[in-house]
Amino acid sequence: GHYISVDTSYEGKKAVLSSPELHAEEWSCVRLIYQIATTLEASADPARLNLYLRQEGESFDRLLWSAKEPSDSWLIASLDLSNSTKKHKIILEGEIGQDKSASIAVFEIKITPGYCIECDFEENHLCGFVNHWNPNVNWFVGGGNIRNSQSVLPKDHTLNSELGHYMYVDSVYVKHFQEVAQLISPKTTAPMSGCLSFYYQLKQESSTVFTVYLRDTSGFYEEIWKTENALSADWALAEVDFNAPYPMEVIFEVAFNSAKGGYVALDDISFSPVYCSNQTGVPFNTADASCDFEEDLCNFYQDHKDGPGWSRVKVKRNVYRAGDHTTGFGYYLLANTKFTSQPGYIGRLYGPTLPGNLQFCLRFYYALYGFFKMSGTLAVYIFEENHMVQEKIWSVLDTLKGVWTQAEISFKKPMPCKV
């Protein structure tokens, strides 16, 4: 087959390849099969391959992706292009840098409708999904021509035939307790939320655990789905609400406890920008969880078992008091005044229930007066309803006294919770 590569005999700084004008009103996925080869160990100015989006009417190119890691083999990059009414071009830019012996090559550029995270495993590149190699348990491609490929199932889900392909992991070589096989999706490159669905089969004789996680760029794992039932002899559909406001990978993980753990098979991963019907009806309105306390406590409330806590007050502005934060003349909440405080005093304000699996940003303004020691006088907890667990996510350190100060906290929980 043919490929294109950067001409290194030319002394120019950059080689630029431009696509024809594209027009995609639907979400699409750009797949790039490329290689960067170099003889130098490490360079301050390495060879680099960049991919830009040039939109009609904009005066700059938007960098979608960049790579500089050298490799001995072809690599695959998957990039989501969100739907847009504007015409655009894709620009590939090769920079050789200091290493004149480096080579940058591109074997295939493929733009397909749909999301990069979707896959039916019928193509060789497996949509950029990769197996995390483990000496004993790994994900394999099953199906196709039975004579020359491994297989544990008579039929795949996509074509419903022995010629179709799927991914599977088998426990036959398991040596240790809880051995784990991971299949890792390409990283999302555009914010997306909706319903992630896939088909799976599970054959097991002991406690095999099949789990789906999200992993962000800092390596933080969040479990979004786990098999409930022990056995599914036929293809079963799993649907899970999926929210990726920043780059994430989806990880399909199988943990076996013994060599008799059977197998797990996976096929037809797809995504819809509408949340799964059985879990999320009406989209959550953040206004329901916000309040400026001008009229009342909105959907916030106090548990009077905690004793007298927060009072809704209004004060005239003067040299000593700034008034409320909204207008300066309105209402705000006040806790721990000289009328209510006693040793061990705690004032708790509870927010409304927030749905699970959504990324929230909590923003509020606070002011402290007259405390000798600031730290810990004000704290924010997340309260998980089912588990009755509370987790401290913020507390005040040092701050200017008597001045409204803004706090911002991001959080996300798999189950419903309260602030």
Side-chain angles (χ1 to χ4, degrees), residues 157 255 320 403:
H157 183 265
Y320 306 106
V403 177

Side-chain angles (χ1 to χ4, degrees), residues 37 39 70 112 115 117 131 190 203 209 275 295 310 314 365 398:
T39 49
T112 51
Y115 298 81
I117 212 164
N131 167 64
K203 179 179 183 298
V209 185
Y275 281 114
E295 302 294 323
W310 295 83
K314 180 181 188 175
Y365 294 86
D398 272 346

Side-chain angles (χ1 to χ4, degrees), residues 1 10 79 131 201 206-207 214 265 267 303 361 365 377 398 417:
Y10 177 62
L79 303 146
N131 167 64
Q201 276 197 41
S206 63
S207 53
L214 296 183
D267 204 357
D303 184 348
C361 172
Y365 294 86
T377 51
D398 272 346
C417 61

Side-chain angles (χ1 to χ4, degrees), residues 109-256:
I109 303 166
K110 190 171 187 186
I111 303 177
T112 51
Y115 298 81
C116 291
I117 212 164
E118 299 184 296
C119 200
D120 59 11
F121 303 111
E122 295 306 322
E123 293 195 50
N124 288 347
H125 54 54
L126 304 180
C127 322
F129 276 77
V130 289
N131 167 64
H132 179 78
W133 196 80
N134 174 328
N136 300 322
V137 286
N138 291 283
W139 285 90
F140 291 106
V141 182
N145 187 334
I146 302 297
R147 283 192 298 281
N148 61 18
S149 90
Q150 301 176 309
S151 201
V152 292
L153 299 179
K155 293 176 177 177
D156 81 320
H157 183 265
T158 319
L159 307 177
N160 193 25
S161 86
E162 59 187 35
L163 295 174
H165 296 84
Y166 53 88
M167 298 301 291
Y168 77 95
V169 54
D170 199 333
S171 65
V172 65
Y173 300 113
V174 167
K175 301 272 192 299
H176 310 289
F177 182 70
Q178 280 296 83
E179 286 226 66
V180 166
Q182 287 189 335
L183 183 70
I184 302 166
S185 80
K187 216 181 237 102
T188 60
T189 53
M192 50 198 270
S193 61
C195 186
L196 180 72
S197 62
F198 55 92
Y199 285 87
Y200 70 98
Q201 276 197 41
L202 203 65
K203 179 179 183 298
Q204 61 175 37
E205 291 148 43
S206 63
S207 53
T208 302
V209 185
F210 179 28
T211 316
V212 180
Y213 296 98
L214 296 183
R215 182 171 68 187
D216 64 16
T217 44
S218 61
F220 177 75
Y221 278 80
E222 180 198 345
E223 181 185 308
I224 57 170
W225 181 88
K226 197 182 223 161
T227 38
E228 298 298 327
N229 51 344
L231 211 66
S232 63
D234 201 10
W235 289 106
L237 171 66
E239 292 184 315
V240 54
D241 281 337
F242 174 83
N243 190 26
Y246 36 78
M248 298 256 193
E249 293 162 329
V250 180
I251 296 181
F252 294 89
E253 181 182 283
V254 175
F256 291 116

